[in-house]
Amino acid sequence: MQKDDCETVRQIVAATGLFRVGEIDVAVELVQARLDKGAASGYEFVFAEQKGETIGYICFGKNTLTVSSFDVYWIAVEPSKQGQGIGQLLLEEAERQIAAASGARIYIETSHRSDYQATRGFYERCGYTLAAVLDDFYAPGDSKATYFKVIDTLAQPSA
Amino acid sequence: MQKDDCETVRQIVAATGLFRVGEIDVAVELVQARLDKGAASGYEFVFAEQKGETIGYICFGKNTLTVSSFDVYWIAVEPSKQGQGIGQLLLEEAERQIAAASGARIYIETSHRSDYQATRGFYERCGYTLAAVLDDFYAPGDSKATYFKVIDTLAQPSA
């Protein structure tokens, strides 16, 4: 992690066109918290690089109110690099690190808006199950969908 | 807010007997964040006092990922002072402040465990509706219940 990761994350998250300004600020705040406090921030990052350029990242961490649940706080891939499996590689690396940290469940919260349909399809293809929808959570007409995956299925792959 | 609010909150939250050590630490961290950063922390507090002694409190704030949703992060009343309507007074004062800040929805996350049954009944009596249950969220056998209230109902009391 380095200082210019803040700007890199801001650019990638903004480029997706999916987030409000306030949401982009929160994404950058998580990078700054990691830079300021290190692992004590509770935020883990994995970056995807291609030819020396950062083209995507995932941010996750243990939910400190839980015994063994982890949250994926953010995942984003530069739009011109989407559809190449980079998001899946990022998510799988996060899952490996969460399994190694004895995580039992992974939660991902995302929008239920129609322009997030590809995002939700991505999580479903990656083995995540829709657990709840909170109506109008993010804004009127912008509900929150919560997906989860049980880590047992990662530690014990089917034969 | 003053320095010794950290210890006061720790004592009240611990006295309820409902929270794990890690959860109590998080409750105190929110007080410290408010002391360190003021309103910029995003955490608002209301304390209930009786004869100069703090006997309960509520902590809430705007969810920065949303346009107008607020979270109640914590509410606790000293066990010997429960059953006198103090929790309801705290929650109503938070609702008034949230309405004044143009909040549209209030969310409260709590445990679905049987020893939280009185807590859930309290939220239901206060007009909150169960929106989702996430199984085994806090720990195996300790699911998360999410309640919500639409603020319209506060701004427009029935005739």
Side-chain angles (χ1 to χ4, degrees), chain B residues 62-135:
Chain B
K62 179 158 180 235
N63 183 321
T64 54
L65 291 175
T66 74
V67 170
S68 51
S69 291
F70 282 67
D71 291 306
V72 170
Y73 297 112
W74 232 283
I75 179 169
V77 174
E78 180 74 37
S80 65
K81 308 291 183 181
Q82 290 177 9
Q84 303 175 22
I86 295 162
Q88 191 175 344
L89 285 174
L90 285 167
L91 192 49
E92 286 173 357
E93 175 57 26
E95 290 172 356
R96 263 190 296 274
Q97 295 189 17
I98 290 167
S102 301
R105 301 175 89 84
I106 303 176
Y107 290 90
I108 305 179
E109 300 182 344
T110 191
S111 173
H112 206 250
R113 283 193 335 245
S114 58
D115 54 333
Y116 272 81
Q117 194 164 353
T119 304
R120 294 194 302 277
F122 164 71
Y123 294 134
E124 287 162 13
R125 284 196 307 280
C126 290
Y128 286 76
T129 302
L130 181 64
V133 175
L134 296 186
D135 293 340

Side-chain angles (χ1 to χ4, degrees), chain B residues 9 26-27 30-31 34 42-47 57-61 71-76 90 94 107:
Chain B
V9 161
V26 172
L30 304 193
V31 182
R34 174 74 201 201
Y43 301 125
E44 301 294 332
F45 285 82
V46 177
F47 290 91
Y57 83 106
I58 187 166
C59 171
F60 62 97
D71 291 306
V72 170
Y73 297 112
W74 232 283
I75 179 169
L90 285 167
Y107 290 90

Side-chain angles (χ1 to χ4, degrees), chain B residues 12-35:
Chain B
I12 293 172
V13 171
T16 64
L18 284 174
F19 302 104
R20 282 179 284 271
V21 172
E23 292 176 302
I24 298 170
D25 288 343
V26 172
V28 175
E29 280 169 21
L30 304 193
V31 182
Q32 191 61 55
R34 174 74 201 201
L35 287 168

Side-chain angles (χ1 to χ4, degrees), chain A residues 66-67 69 105 135 137-138, chain B residues 66-67 69 105 135-138:
Chain A
T66 74
V67 169
S69 291
R105 302 174 91 84
D135 293 339
F137 179 88
Y138 291 112
Chain B
T66 74
V67 170
S69 291
R105 301 175 89 84
D135 293 340
D136 301 320
F137 179 87
Y138 292 112

Side-chain angles (χ1 to χ4, degrees), chain B residues 2-18:
Chain B
Q2 49 200 36
K3 189 73 196 162
D4 62 5
D5 288 335
C6 287
E7 195 47 41
T8 304
V9 161
R10 181 179 293 281
Q11 283 172 11
I12 293 172
V13 171
T16 64
L18 284 174

Side-chain angles (χ1 to χ4, degrees), chain A residues 108-113 120 130-147, chain B residues 63 66 69-71 105-110 129-134 144-150:
Chain A
I108 304 178
E109 300 182 343
T110 191
S111 173
H112 205 250
R113 284 195 333 245
R120 295 194 302 277
L130 181 63
V133 176
L134 296 186
D135 293 339
D136 301 321
F137 179 88
Y138 291 112
D142 189 355
S143 303
K144 179 170 84 171
T146 301
Y147 286 86
Chain B
N63 183 321
T66 74
S69 291
F70 282 67
D71 291 306
R105 301 175 89 84
I106 303 176
Y107 290 90
I108 305 179
E109 300 182 344
T110 191
T129 302
L130 181 64
V133 175
L134 296 186
K144 177 169 85 172
T146 300
Y147 286 87
F148 79 101
K149 189 177 201 170
V150 176

